[in-house]
Amino acid sequence: MASSMAFFVVVLLILQCLSLSFSAKQTYIVHMKNHDKPSSFSTHHDWYVSSLQSLSSSSTPDTLLYTYTTAYNGFAASLDPAQVESLRQSNSVIGVYEDTLYTLHTTRTPEFMGLNTDFGLWEGHNTLDLDQASHDVVIGVLDTGVWPESKSFDDSGMPEVPKKWRGECESGSDFSPKVCNRKLIGARSFSKGYHMASGGSYLNKPREIVSPRDGDGHGTHTSSTAAGSQVANASLLGYASGTARGMAPHARLATYKVCWKTGCFGSDILAGMDRAILDGVDVLSLSLGGGSAPYYRDTIAIGAFSAMEKGIFVSCSAGNSGPTKASLANVAPWIMTVGAGTLDRDFPAYVALGNKYKSTGVSLYSGKGMGNKPVGLVYNKGFNNSANLCLPASLNPELVRGKVVICDRGINARVEKGAVVGEAGGVGMILANTAASGEELVADSHLLPAVAVGRKVGDSMREYAKSDANPTALLTFGGTVLNVKPSPVVAAFSSRGPNMVTPQILKPDLIGPGVNILAAWSDAIGPTELEKDNRKTNFNIMSGTSMSCPHISGVGALLKAAHPDWSPSAIKSALMTTAYTVDNTKSPLKDAGGGGFSNPWAHGSGHVDPQKALSPGLVYDISTEEYVAFLCSLDYAIEHVQAIIKRPNVTCSMKFKDPGELNYPSFSVLFGNKRVIRYTRELTNVGPARSMYNVIVTGPSSVGISVRPKQLTFRSVGEKKRYTVTFVAKKGVKQMSRSEFGSILWGNAQHQVKSPVAFSWTALMR
């Protein structure tokens, strides 16, 4: 008996060791010194394959997942710990990094932003000129793929595909290249990183069909927001009815599916960026991201640098981790970092309580209503302490059946909470904000009657449900309402500064519409994205910086069409310096996170204004060499700088004394142990010749600000002029733990070129 038990234990140990050896392999991104390639190899790919084979005899043809040639110097491979350690010992290897999992940052907008077709946009030209120029601009969207049959990708009236285009539409078991057209001119998918992870021990979800088809909806939504064709009678089950179209409806679209059910893996994202650059896109749009990291560890930042060098404008979402400070993603200065604001459109719904208290919330519920008879109201009635959040299996059916349930917002998806209520027998839900979401209201297409309310209203409803002997509620729905005031308001979920990677660069850059956005949707999934939602809709309403990012990508494409000789930095500057910071009540922008006024750590330069951006007057341009000087000022090891800019001969002999010396369109002044900070900026005239600008400065009483000269005169188009601004922390002012803000504006009768300024006294101010 003892011997058989010992044998059994040995077998278990052997199996455990085998399991560990098999599960130990995972995906790594290997950063190489590409100039070290021996001349005996004709390609870097051959060198990488040989390098892997030399590590061990266990290397197989599928060990190498991707070879990166443009966005990154290196490759992605499936490696075990011993192979990783061997590579790290190589002089030709800069670094070996575990594959990072990134997440998605999930028709009224063209009119709200001044892009209605009846309006002449482009100074000196008409809308038709801009439409025709847009035909040559290609927007590449890295996301969950595309539903090509959507009317938003109709190519009626579009000319032949530009000759410069080198992309293609890949085939899959559910995707024929024939579904592409003169609008949707490219569709690819990248899944090797995802498949390696899903085959491992930590992500055991079923694999998806490898094709560019969108089974999630997110990619179709973002793609159509950026460049969707005009579609009449668009709506989500009757809500937001009207004509839907993207920001650049005459631009071309190419989609790169890099996100799957478990998220978006860095190895796949890099492969998508690599291919998009080679295909010839003009704009890259990424509504995804992770945490912040040094730029040499940030795969999106490294890929975006290569894109910027080739004249590609890169727009990324800031993240949905607001209103927490220092919560930004995608903060590299060569990336446009986009936060989210509201529209002037709402979807009101109403709650009438038994104590005669009535309040307004929002909802996109489109089914049969509750009638006109109040029913019982309950809160926190379940089997455990998560009942207040309406987490799965937390509610007691005996206590909630036939009643309206109050659910706290947070932890699980808003629409899932309604499904949990329905499963427990509830007939309606009040989704009540907590302090984390404040007064921000996001509408959802719930499966049962449901109304979302703000924190203050939610607190009173929770108290009523707990204190009244017989609480009741009735929910009713009000459809779509336009011209809502105030708007825009910064979304509470929109991630905030300061920038923790480089505090001297103010982020986010600006905000765009990102709350309750109507755009095209995948036919493969219902509007709530829940498995039990079998409703089909051609359009859906979604919220997130995922939605604001493609708005800016589309407007960037318009600027690229209007000014094909502008650099990505010039386009970025035009968008930032013309953004507005007052709402439609002529009041400073407000913040849904706290209910008070917003500031540049929330809205950056302000809310995008496409019309003004097309004719900004002046721009802050930045060359690749200036970005190199910026990177050299960050005290990175020289090989890390070389890894980002992909040049072996960079020595950092030229670098800024302070990263804030970059010719950025905004300022972030970090005093630290200094009292005086001085920056010089250069402006390029893209307006008329013989233009004169005067400076107007605003700032807090704790800081003295002086600008020299106070007037700039540009005799010709393209002329460059410099100015120096000095910031002085006044004596007697204690080092403050909070931030202050101001602005520097160069203006004349035609143009207002405005830069926000953030002031910090401590290094890491949150």
Side-chain angles (χ1 to χ4, degrees), residues 157 250 330 548 555 630:
H250 298 277
N330 301 316
S548 53
V555 178
F630 162 80

Side-chain angles (χ1 to χ4, degrees), residues 166-203:
R166 298 180 294 275
E168 64 178 43
C169 286
E170 298 176 351
S171 62
S173 60
D174 62 351
F175 195 96
S176 168
K178 293 179 181 178
V179 297
C180 289
N181 54 27
R182 288 170 297 183
K183 176 67 173 178
L184 179 64
I185 64 173
R188 299 181 186 270
S189 70
F190 302 86
S191 61
K192 292 177 181 177
Y194 160 69
H195 279 301
M196 288 304 301
S198 62
S201 60
Y202 61 98
L203 285 175

Side-chain angles (χ1 to χ4, degrees), residues 528-556:
T528 63
E529 301 180 71
L530 297 174
E531 286 187 17
K532 62 181 64 182
D533 187 357
N534 55 17
R535 296 173 296 176
K536 300 296 181 186
T537 177
N538 294 324
F539 291 85
N540 199 7
I541 292 173
M542 298 183 74
S543 298
T545 54
S546 273
M547 284 61 253
S548 53
C549 169
H551 279 90
I552 305 307
S553 306
V555 178

Side-chain angles (χ1 to χ4, degrees), residues 573-634:
S573 174
L575 290 165
M576 290 172 65
T577 61
T578 58
Y580 59 87
T581 54
V582 295
D583 61 29
N584 57 2
T585 69
K586 305 302 180 185
S587 169
L589 292 178
K590 293 185 175 63
D591 186 343
F597 291 126
S598 178
N599 65 54
W601 279 354
H603 63 241
S605 297
H607 191 286
V608 65
D609 187 332
Q611 283 184 286
K612 288 186 177 178
L614 281 161
S615 179
L618 305 173
V619 294
Y620 293 87
D621 210 351
I622 306 175
S623 68
T624 299
E625 297 310 315
E626 288 172 282
Y627 281 124
V628 173
F630 162 80
L631 287 167
C632 288
S633 73
L634 300 180

Side-chain angles (χ1 to χ4, degrees), residues 408-474:
D408 291 347
R409 181 175 169 182
I411 307 299
N412 58 332
R414 300 182 299 270
V415 290
E416 184 184 57
K417 295 175 188 288
V420 170
V421 171
E423 288 172 356
V427 297
M429 175 182 69
I430 297 171
L431 180 64
N433 282 5
T434 61
S437 301
E439 301 308 313
E440 172 191 71
L441 299 180
V442 178
D444 295 295
S445 182
H446 293 281
L447 291 169
L448 85 172
V451 179
V453 298
R455 181 187 64 83
K456 293 175 183 176
V457 169
D459 285 346
S460 65
M461 290 182 176
R462 283 182 276 255
E463 183 59 32
Y464 166 68
K466 289 188 289 187
S467 61
D468 196 279
N470 184 32
T472 62
L474 176 65

Side-chain angles (χ1 to χ4, degrees), residues 626-696:
E626 288 172 282
Y627 281 124
V628 173
F630 162 80
L631 287 167
C632 288
S633 73
L634 300 180
D635 295 325
Y636 290 169
I638 190 66
E639 61 264 25
H640 289 148
V641 175
Q642 292 170 347
I644 298 167
I645 61 182
K646 302 163 202 70
R647 295 188 210 160
N649 57 348
V650 170
T651 62
C652 282
S653 57
M654 296 287 291
K655 66 178 183 178
F656 298 140
K657 293 179 181 178
D658 173 347
E661 292 181 18
L662 185 68
N663 198 41
Y664 212 65
S666 59
F667 295 82
S668 180
V669 179
L670 180 62
F671 285 113
N673 57 3
K674 298 179 181 178
R675 281 193 57 243
V676 179
I677 301 288
R678 184 174 288 110
Y679 290 136
T680 296
R681 292 287 198 265
E682 183 178 74
L683 285 161
T684 303
N685 182 30
V686 295
R690 295 181 294 280
S691 296
M692 186 173 69
Y693 291 81
N694 293 302
V695 72
I696 300 174

